[in-house]
Amino acid sequence: MKKEASILILTVMILLSACTGNPKISGTASTSDSASPIAVTVTPSPSPSATPVPTPTPEPTKPAQQAVKKEYHMNKNYDIVPNDPNGNKKVILLTFDDGPKDQAMNEALIQILKKHNAKAIFFFNGYRIKQKPELVKLVHDSGQIVGNHSWDHDNLKDMTNAKIDQQVDDVQKIVKDLIGEEPQFFRPPFGSGNDYLKEKIKNKKMLYMTWSNGSLDWEMTNTKNDSGKVIENVMKQLHGGSNILMHELPWTIKALDTLLTQLEEKGYSFVDPNAIELEMR
């Protein structure tokens, strides 16, 4: 029966093949010669790609400070003198000693100076810098000038050479570590020095100075802190090229705006310390 069934199925297949006109019988399908080929578009799977890393926005470069032309020098009386004989002689150098003491006082000084478009030298002591290094950065970043007032506020005149070296060099180092540059101006405490100190400062390409107009603000503790007296003392000694000594003291800060206004009214301007040569003439 199985053999007969197989013969019957084969016969049916032959007949069907004859009816469809397909002469080939195969166990695999074939494509007619007249059939158009089917184009198959294969879309490749997207290959994994690295997550794009955003390009960091570069930080703005701080513009380099333009060099200030050296139009002034200091004479042996510690006055500021124009290099050009016909230059402006009615200039004032503003200086403040014995800091940094207090942030509020420094900020007040900076704001008053900014109001009058003035720059000053802040002569700092090393031991105070160590206590409040952030105030050195505050003064420097505001565009004011940091000067060296020795490490301790002691009289340098009778010190050994080695001790003088330490008093000067330690301040140079700590300031450079904080703001990236060494002070260019040096003032000895009490205005007292000796030949070795002066030669050392000269060899370090710094300008050694005392003052030519003392506000005497350090004596005000016995006069009820009279800010008016600070102004009076400065105006009594006023002359072209005045190198004015002041301190970080509350009554000095109270007097400063009025003092600078009165100086301007008399036709004086405030010299930029950066415009002063670093060698005395």
Side-chain angles (χ1 to χ4, degrees):
M1 291 293 294
K2 291 181 179 181
K3 184 177 180 181
E4 291 175 353
S6 298
I7 295 172
L8 180 60
I9 291 171
L10 181 60
T11 303
V12 172
M13 291 178 67
I14 292 171
L15 291 174
L16 289 173
S17 176
C19 292
T20 58
N22 186 358
K24 296 180 180 179
I25 299 174
S26 171
T28 59
S30 64
T31 303
S32 168
D33 293 341
S34 62
S36 300
I38 300 174
V40 179
T41 302
V42 179
T43 304
S45 299
S47 57
S49 59
T51 304
V53 178
T55 303
T57 304
E59 294 184 2
T61 303
K62 186 177 180 180
Q65 185 176 357
Q66 292 184 344
V68 178
K69 185 179 179 181
K70 303 294 185 182
E71 297 181 312
Y72 293 88
H73 64 273
M74 192 179 68
N75 66 19
K76 296 185 185 305
N77 295 322
Y78 302 107
D79 286 326
I80 306 305
V81 182
N83 295 339
D84 182 350
N86 298 318
N88 180 20
K89 296 178 176 64
K90 295 190 73 172
V91 294
I92 299 293
L93 175 62
L94 302 171
T95 69
F96 299 92
D97 284 13
D98 298 357
K101 294 179 180 178
D102 176 81
Q103 181 169 339
M105 285 200 295
N106 281 149
E107 289 176 342
L109 283 172
I110 289 168
Q111 288 305 312
I112 296 169
L113 292 169
K114 183 178 180 181
K115 175 182 176 180
H116 292 270
N117 194 29
K119 290 189 176 183
I121 304 173
F122 286 69
F123 283 106
F124 287 155
N125 291 119
Y127 80 95
R128 292 189 185 275
I129 293 173
K130 187 176 180 180
Q131 293 170 353
K132 297 186 177 180
E134 70 279 2
L135 299 187
V136 180
K137 295 180 181 179
L138 172 68
V139 168
H140 173 73
D141 292 346
S142 73
Q144 302 300 324
I145 313 303
V146 176
N148 185 331
H149 198 38
S150 80
W151 188 269
D152 300 299
H153 199 276
D154 293 336
N155 194 324
L156 302 176
K157 185 175 182 179
D158 299 323
M159 287 186 183
T160 64
N161 294 351
K163 185 65 174 177
I164 288 175
D165 289 342
Q166 181 183 7
Q167 288 287 316
V168 174
D169 295 343
D170 286 359
V171 175
Q172 294 295 95
K173 182 180 186 305
I174 195 172
V175 171
K176 185 174 183 180
D177 289 345
L178 287 169
I179 64 174
E181 58 190 50
E182 295 183 345
Q184 294 184 310
F185 301 94
F186 180 84
R187 173 176 283 159
F190 315 108
S192 179
N194 57 28
D195 291 340
Y196 176 81
L197 174 63
K198 293 178 181 178
E199 190 65 22
K200 176 181 179 62
I201 297 304
K202 181 179 180 180
N203 291 338
K204 291 183 74 67
K205 309 299 183 183
M206 301 170 69
L207 182 61
Y208 179 103
M209 71 169 70
T210 60
W211 58 89
S212 62
N213 185 324
S215 67
L216 301 180
D217 58 355
W218 61 93
E219 295 182 354
M220 300 299 167
T221 53
N222 298 322
T223 57
K224 298 183 179 179
N225 304 337
D226 186 357
S227 61
K229 194 68 175 174
V230 175
I231 299 172
E232 180 183 334
N233 289 338
V234 170
M235 301 306 285
K236 279 182 179 179
Q237 305 169 66
L238 183 62
H239 59 276
S242 286
N243 178 352
I244 302 177
L245 167 62
M246 294 175 282
H247 292 78
E248 292 185 17
L249 296 168
W251 46 93
T252 302
I253 296 169
K254 184 179 178 181
L256 187 61
D257 188 22
T258 301
L259 173 61
L260 299 190
T261 299
Q262 290 188 16
L263 291 171
E264 289 172 320
E265 289 173 348
K266 287 184 173 295
Y268 287 88
S269 59
F270 310 111
V271 66
D272 181 349
N274 294 309
I276 302 173
E277 293 178 352
L278 299 180
E279 186 172 352
M280 183 185 295
R281 292 192 194 181

